[in-house]
Short mmCIF file of all heavy atoms in Angstrom, two decimals:
data_model
loop_
_atom_site.label_atom_id
_atom_site.label_comp_id
_atom_site.label_asym_id
_atom_site.label_seq_id
_atom_site.Cartn_x
_atom_site.Cartn_y
_atom_site.Cartn_z
N THR A 33 100.09 -12.82 73.46
CA THR A 33 99.39 -11.55 73.29
C THR A 33 99.38 -11.16 71.82
O THR A 33 99.99 -11.83 70.98
CB THR A 33 100.08 -10.43 74.10
OG1 THR A 33 101.39 -10.20 73.54
CG2 THR A 33 100.21 -10.83 75.57
N VAL A 197 97.57 -23.11 47.34
CA VAL A 197 97.14 -24.51 47.30
C VAL A 197 96.93 -25.02 48.73
O VAL A 197 97.84 -25.00 49.54
CB VAL A 197 98.18 -25.38 46.58
CG1 VAL A 197 97.82 -26.86 46.71
CG2 VAL A 197 98.24 -25.01 45.11
N PRO A 205 103.46 -30.59 40.72
CA PRO A 205 104.84 -30.97 40.40
C PRO A 205 105.73 -29.75 40.21
O PRO A 205 105.26 -28.65 39.96
CB PRO A 205 104.68 -31.73 39.08
CG PRO A 205 103.52 -31.04 38.43
CD PRO A 205 102.58 -30.71 39.56
N GLY A 241 90.48 -25.03 37.97
CA GLY A 241 91.71 -24.31 37.69
C GLY A 241 92.35 -24.83 36.43
O GLY A 241 91.78 -25.64 35.70
#
Side-chain angles (χ1 to χ4, degrees):
T33 66
V197 173

